[in-house]
Amino acid sequence: MGTRAGIVVTGTEVLTGRIADRNGPWLADRLLELGIELAHITICGDRPDDIAAALRFQADAGVDVILTTGGLGPTADDMTVATVAEFSGRELVLDIELEHRIAAILRRLMERYPGADFEAVMAANRKQALVPAGATVLEPVGTAPGIVVAGTPTIVVLPGPPRELQEMWPAALATHTVQQAIAQRSRYRQETLRMFGVPESELADSLRHAETEVAGFDQLEITTCLRRGELEIVTRYEPDGERSYRKLVEFLQAEHTRALYSTDGATVDEQVAALLAGRRVATAESCTAGLVSARLTDRPGSSAYVAGGAAVYSNEAKTAVLGVDAGLIIEHGAVSEQVAEAMAEGALRRFEADIAVAITGIAGPDGGTDEKPVGTVCFSVKTADGAGRTETLLLPGNRADIRERSSTVAMHLLRTVLLGS
Amino acid sequence: MGTRAGIVVTGTEVLTGRIADRNGPWLADRLLELGIELAHITICGDRPDDIAAALRFQADAGVDVILTTGGLGPTADDMTVATVAEFSGRELVLDIELEHRIAAILRRLMERYPGADFEAVMAANRKQALVPAGATVLEPVGTAPGIVVAGTPTIVVLPGPPRELQEMWPAALATHTVQQAIAQRSRYRQETLRMFGVPESELADSLRHAETEVAGFDQLEITTCLRRGELEIVTRYEPDGERSYRKLVEFLQAEHTRALYSTDGATVDEQVAALLAGRRVATAESCTAGLVSARLTDRPGSSAYVAGGAAVYSNEAKTAVLGVDAGLIIEHGAVSEQVAEAMAEGALRRFEADIAVAITGIAGPDGGTDEKPVGTVCFSVKTADGAGRTETLLLPGNRADIRERSSTVAMHLLRTVLLGS
């Protein structure tokens, strides 16, 4: 007998599509890792009746645990805790100690707003210290505490901001109440493979062949998805499926030697960061205008290997900042392999880097021609010791897709050259 | 009396978070435009029992219309039509005319795959021509037809691929059955306000005062949310709430004169883009390393006003690329208002821009000191004619939060200086 869970996402801004829900998918992943089956996600607005109906639905579906997100703020439309209290037949009581801890957080926060009225803010936040009788309090990450209410089902009340929810999750999971509620779950392993440069249909074909080639294939629960222009293959199996999983990896490695770039789940960003140890990278970006630079510096400690970057959107900037020969731009066009190479060389010099990546392309919606349609993007990676690689691709999608896909291609080109040099 | 609707998203890949649901938010927008109130979105897997439970839940919640997405394909796990037929007590009948039309579509598609077995494919697709008795068929956009089943509630069955769903939607809406089901809908207006630089709890406090100060406040349905470090306030009202809404805006303008920067829903990005008309902007970024540059160029046509940007992560790059005096960095530190100003001036010169924004800060997790803790960020905006503004903030959150929040602060500083110059 396994454990089933349901997720209740609250928030009118999520229900009406103004904010994309990031919590449902994130929690779904966590449940999957834990071996808990997810029955339903429901999204409702801030109205207590709708929240109560969603709780009732999940309870009637027989889930062991309900996770709620959102509705813990200080404003009048934040009603999750009160609704959960009523749903579980418990009174709301003021937790004075908790109120003091919230006050301390607020006092620190408000030092940034010299004009603000602390007493007024505190009054608004007092409701965040109201807790269903007998519930377990999860310490606030922002200003809102989470709540665990034991019962059938057990209800875990989490905040809406994804960063707060994600930071609070381990504490929720560690509570005795939650551990008891999920004690019956199955134990699964989960592994992730990553591929780049192969269409999804080709992977689907390989997996169909794997069905007959890999002994014990039916022990593996495989889901594939396209993410940021890459293929992610997640496999879940019970411990005795280990041998079959190893065989599957071998099979896919043989079929997709070049495309299968990660067998331990590491992303290309993580691989590039590791390969850059002891070197310094520079970027020269036209159509992506800083996306690759921002992506390389996402990671803590990246100042050790990122020298800098130039967003050279205009032709004048390409010449003035990176020393690209104006004649080269006239002769070949700003979107050309020649200009991409000159940009990479300019970035190497300008930032005194060991390796540089350059991107110049047409992200659209305007600017395309018959010869160079929207989606045409030239990439060049150069190293200080003269190695490198240059290529031109035609990328699908809209402006945002083309820009993001370009940043992924740039990371893979960096990876390839770093591995070869 | 208004009309209420519910959305049932089906698909194990969506439930488990492998694929982000784009249909729920898209349909939510369409319902909002129509003045139909959305009660719940539920997401479930491909199992008929779970789909039926979700339909039952929405029907019990008293919605007038249920929209379902997904589960219309030819494979065995596509069960939505059969489940809807059973739910509404109708037999599934083969629509022979529809089967012929699907066959014609498939024949055309299969011309691309010379080896494929047309009869086998047709057999798999025959189930797509099974329709609940008396239902209205929506012509396929891909190969799957949609279905409208009249009843209480009326059920509209739509395909899963967003492009197919979006193209089919107008036909669904145009059916007599759907028009009848939504005839009672209210006509709502919806307006958006945006604030920056005020904590959410202070807005909550203002809204509590507005309750007594603004006549007809209870005609307004207000939702507030924090997004990218800003507050978004969306108000929905029936046409006769117009006067109350105007009063609310006046009230908030008086209370938050500086913070309330948008009363027409325009984002700071849109405002900055409009203010930049006829001018060219440059960026000089240290801790954000391209985020502001990428954000400025998100918009089509931004090449008209974006000159370029430098990501100067290292001190050497600040000096080599932007001409920041190395002595200044030694004297005041890389994270200082003096260096921010020199970076902005360097970007003005280097990119021959009319206005430049510079950001230098400590995004963490390392690098903080007692004097300059993690989150300390210096901003400077300078114009070619000598105007400008420089400030230092202490931003909350983790590395990603601090970087994103910094890009928002930079946009607002640009806006302020552009308005003043």
Side-chain angles (χ1 to χ4, degrees), chain B residues 164-228:
Chain B
E164 291 185 31
L165 175 136
Q166 292 172 20
E167 208 172 315
M168 193 181 283
W169 175 246
L173 196 59
T175 58
H176 179 68
T177 307
V178 171
Q179 283 299 316
Q180 273 204 315
I182 67 174
Q184 302 300 317
R185 70 190 188 275
S186 315
R187 311 283 162 155
Y188 285 108
R189 295 197 190 153
Q190 182 173 304
E191 305 265 7
T192 301
L193 304 173
R194 296 182 194 282
M195 288 191 186
F196 175 71
V198 167
E200 193 176 14
S201 45
E202 221 181 297
L203 170 62
D205 194 50
S206 298
L207 288 175
R208 255 193 310 281
H209 288 146
E211 236 173 293
T212 51
E213 299 289 322
V214 174
F217 183 83
D218 54 4
Q219 293 179 287
L220 308 175
E221 188 183 324
I222 302 171
T223 48
T224 66
C225 80
L226 257 173
R227 196 206 292 257
R228 271 185 147 180

Side-chain angles (χ1 to χ4, degrees), chain A residues 44-385:
Chain A
C44 64
D46 292 317
R47 273 198 302 225
D49 283 356
D50 291 342
I51 299 172
L55 294 171
R56 171 58 46 215
F57 166 59
Q58 301 270 10
D60 289 349
V63 301
D64 304 287
V65 184
I66 299 176
L67 311 176
T68 77
T69 75
L72 303 191
T75 55
D77 59 354
D78 293 310
M79 295 296 295
T80 306
V81 174
T83 308
V84 166
E86 198 183 330
F87 183 80
S88 39
R90 299 183 186 223
E91 257 183 285
L92 271 186
V93 291
L94 182 66
D95 182 331
I96 307 238
E97 283 304 308
L98 178 59
E99 189 185 7
H100 289 162
R101 295 201 296 278
I102 294 175
I105 294 169
L106 284 172
R107 201 167 278 124
R108 235 173 17 249
L109 277 177
M110 289 186 62
E111 281 166 9
R112 295 197 203 109
Y113 301 96
D117 175 355
F118 178 73
E119 282 312 315
V121 167
M122 217 22 244
N125 281 269
R126 183 153 301 131
K127 74 186 268 282
Q128 297 183 302
L130 291 170
V131 173
T136 308
V137 170
L138 305 169
E139 283 307 301
V141 173
T143 63
I147 307 279
V148 178
V149 183
T152 313
T154 287
I155 305 178
V156 182
V157 177
L158 298 166
R163 186 182 68 85
E164 292 184 30
L165 176 136
Q166 292 172 21
E167 211 172 314
M168 193 179 285
W169 175 245
L173 195 59
T175 59
H176 178 69
T177 307
V178 171
Q179 283 298 318
Q180 274 204 315
I182 67 174
Q184 301 300 316
R185 70 191 188 275
S186 316
R187 309 282 163 160
Y188 286 107
R189 292 197 191 156
Q190 181 171 305
E191 302 265 8
T192 301
L193 303 173
R194 298 183 192 280
M195 288 193 186
F196 176 71
V198 167
E200 196 173 12
S201 50
E202 223 179 294
L203 171 61
D205 196 49
S206 297
L207 289 175
R208 258 193 306 279
H209 287 144
E211 231 173 296
T212 51
E213 299 290 323
V214 174
F217 182 85
D218 54 5
Q219 293 179 285
L220 308 175
E221 187 183 325
I222 302 172
T223 47
T224 67
C225 82
L226 259 172
R227 197 197 292 258
R228 268 186 149 182
E230 300 190 354
L231 285 170
E232 189 182 81
I233 304 138
V234 176
T235 307
R236 208 164 73 125
Y237 53 90
E238 294 187 38
D240 62 1
E242 174 76 26
R243 266 199 71 205
S244 305
Y245 180 69
R246 294 294 142 216
K247 287 216 179 283
L248 173 70
V249 174
E250 277 169 34
F251 176 82
L252 290 175
Q253 267 171 329
E255 293 263 304
H256 302 282
T257 315
R258 282 198 48 214
L260 181 60
Y261 75 88
S262 173
T263 55
D264 61 358
T267 62
V268 67
D269 296 47
E270 288 164 341
Q271 293 189 358
V272 165
L275 288 166
L276 280 170
R279 287 182 258 213
R280 282 155 50 91
V281 63
T283 53
E285 304 181 65
S286 183
C287 62
T288 49
L291 282 180
V292 176
S293 170
R295 190 164 163 174
L296 282 166
T297 53
D298 262 351
R299 305 172 58 75
S302 49
S303 55
Y305 51 82
V306 177
V312 285
Y313 217 56
S314 65
N315 290 345
E316 298 74 33
K318 289 182 183 70
T319 301
V321 181
L322 296 179
V324 176
D325 179 2
L328 203 67
I329 299 177
I330 292 166
E331 189 181 347
H332 300 285
V335 178
S336 63
E337 297 197 346
Q338 291 84 351
V339 168
E341 290 183 347
M343 284 167 64
E345 282 157 11
L348 275 180
R349 277 194 311 274
R350 172 60 75 186
F351 294 98
E352 295 177 23
D354 302 299
I355 184 167
V357 58
I359 301 155
T360 176
I362 302 154
D366 306 318
T369 63
D370 282 351
E371 199 198 338
K372 293 176 185 172
V374 168
T376 304
V377 186
C378 303
F379 300 85
S380 180
V381 170
K382 296 269 179 189
T383 69
D385 49 17

Side-chain angles (χ1 to χ4, degrees), chain B residues 90-109:
Chain B
R90 299 183 186 225
E91 257 183 286
L92 271 186
V93 292
L94 181 66
D95 182 331
I96 307 236
E97 284 303 309
L98 178 59
E99 189 185 9
H100 289 162
R101 295 200 296 278
I102 294 174
I105 294 169
L106 284 173
R107 200 168 278 122
R108 229 166 31 243
L109 278 178

Side-chain angles (χ1 to χ4, degrees), chain A residues 18 29 37 40-41 43 47 50 75 112 124 163 223 225 289 293-294 297-298 300 307-309 311 320 350 399 403, chain B residues 4 18 37 40-41 43 47 204 208 223 227 232 234 289 293-294 297-298 308-309 311 320 350 365 394 399 401 403:
Chain A
R18 272 188 293 122
D29 268 352
E37 193 190 328
H40 294 271
I41 299 176
I43 306 176
R47 273 198 302 225
D50 291 342
T75 55
R112 295 197 203 109
R163 186 182 68 85
T223 47
C225 82
S293 170
T297 53
D298 262 351
R350 172 60 75 186
R399 181 178 175 85
R403 281 159 51 97
Chain B
R4 291 184 99 202
R18 297 277 133 237
E37 192 189 329
H40 294 272
I41 299 176
I43 305 176
R47 275 195 304 221
R208 255 193 310 281
T223 48
R227 196 206 292 257
E232 189 182 83
V234 175
S293 170
T297 53
D298 261 352
R350 172 60 76 187
L394 183 60
R399 181 177 176 87
D401 297 331
R403 279 158 52 96

Side-chain angles (χ1 to χ4, degrees), chain B residues 217-382:
Chain B
F217 183 83
D218 54 4
Q219 293 179 287
L220 308 175
E221 188 183 324
I222 302 171
T223 48
T224 66
C225 80
L226 257 173
R227 196 206 292 257
R228 271 185 147 180
E230 301 191 354
L231 285 169
E232 189 182 83
I233 304 137
V234 175
T235 308
R236 211 164 73 121
Y237 53 90
E238 295 188 37
D240 62 2
E242 173 76 27
R243 268 199 69 206
S244 305
Y245 180 70
R246 293 295 141 215
K247 287 216 179 285
L248 172 69
V249 174
E250 277 168 33
F251 176 82
L252 290 175
Q253 268 171 329
E255 293 265 304
H256 303 283
T257 315
R258 283 197 47 212
L260 181 60
Y261 76 88
S262 174
T263 56
D264 62 358
T267 61
V268 67
D269 295 48
E270 288 164 341
Q271 293 188 359
V272 165
L275 289 165
L276 280 170
R279 287 182 257 211
R280 281 154 51 92
V281 64
T283 53
E285 304 181 65
S286 184
C287 61
T288 51
L291 282 181
V292 176
S293 170
R295 191 165 164 174
L296 282 165
T297 53
D298 261 352
R299 306 172 57 77
S302 48
S303 57
Y305 52 82
V306 176
V312 285
Y313 216 57
S314 65
N315 291 345
E316 298 75 32
K318 290 181 182 70
T319 301
V321 180
L322 296 178
V324 175
D325 180 2
L328 205 66
I329 299 177
I330 293 167
E331 190 180 346
H332 301 285
V335 177
S336 63
E337 297 197 346
Q338 290 85 348
V339 169
E341 290 184 347
M343 285 168 62
E345 283 158 11
L348 274 181
R349 277 195 311 273
R350 172 60 76 187
F351 293 99
E352 296 177 23
D354 303 299
I355 184 166
V357 58
I359 301 154
T360 176
I362 301 154
D366 305 317
T369 63
D370 281 351
E371 198 197 341
K372 294 176 184 173
V374 167
T376 304
V377 186
C378 303
F379 300 85
S380 179
V381 170
K382 295 271 179 185

